[in-house]
Amino acid sequence: MLVAWAVMSAGGGGSRDDGKPGGSDPVESITPGPGSSGPAISQQPGGRDESGDEDGPDGTGGSSDAGSDGGSSDGSSTGATGTGGADASGAGRGGDGAGGQVPAGSPLPECKPAEVRLSLRTKVSYGPEDKPRFELIAKNTSSTTCKADFGPKNAVLTVTEAGGEDDEPIWSSKDCPAAAGPLFLKVPAGATVIHTVDWNRTLSAPRCATPPAGKAGPGTYLLEAKAPGIPVQRASFVLAKD
């Protein structure tokens, strides 16, 4: 009986606790740290919008900027709608009356080319339903308020198809504008004004000849601005496919 008791005490169903976890214990789960409370980044990197303010002409996209100095001025004016498929308007920010349209007979002196810093800006890409918007940005570097002529035949904008068979523009602001006269905007000393032109993609022809049918299709286009005595400004943009 003593032998049997000894055997049962040594190998029987007792359990041993040596303070170490058993192999069948569950593994402790790892709780992830707190997630970011900030908004997700959805905007693609790119340059500023093509407008004179923070929002851009339509509040989206980057821009192709040919040397804009980033200045701003207050006020606005409206120009004419051309038969060549463009709506023109002037807008400025940063000074009393800056960018306001003034009559050709205004006592203000005309801005001298050497005193005007001109740049050109547009969005990098436009969707199938977007109307391209071009901005002429003029800064008066002199100490005298003057008036600048943004008329379609003085500040000439042209659009050329990149890689086309010839270098002839498919559209020009001077081809057949509804109002071909001057469009003077007031530019105070040291101020910057912006003149905008919306293009509905229609084609134009010189001297009001019948333009080709249809509209500009998807592709890359070159935009150019010319004004007397001022270096030519250039930018490019894309008309995206459907």
Side-chain angles (χ1 to χ4, degrees), residues 130-215:
D130 294 339
K131 180 185 292 186
R133 170 168 289 187
F134 312 139
E135 292 184 341
L136 273 171
I137 307 166
K139 181 173 183 179
N140 181 0
T141 63
S142 74
S143 58
T144 304
T145 297
C146 58
K147 60 186 178 184
D149 184 6
F150 287 93
K153 291 192 174 183
N154 189 71
V156 180
L157 290 170
T158 59
V159 174
T160 304
E161 186 175 4
E165 296 180 358
D166 53 46
D167 295 331
E168 291 298 319
I170 63 169
W171 174 84
S172 175
S173 64
K174 70 177 183 178
D175 279 348
C176 195
L183 173 63
F184 284 105
L185 302 182
K186 178 182 178 181
V187 192
T192 300
V193 298
I194 302 173
H195 174 66
T196 63
V197 175
D198 293 331
W199 176 47
N200 65 7
R201 307 192 186 202
T202 58
L203 311 182
S204 68
R207 295 178 293 278
C208 290
T210 302
K215 294 188 176 184

Side-chain angles (χ1 to χ4, degrees), residues 17 30 59 111 129 142 195 221:
D17 186 359
I30 300 175
C111 299
E129 304 301 323
S142 74
H195 174 66
Y221 293 84

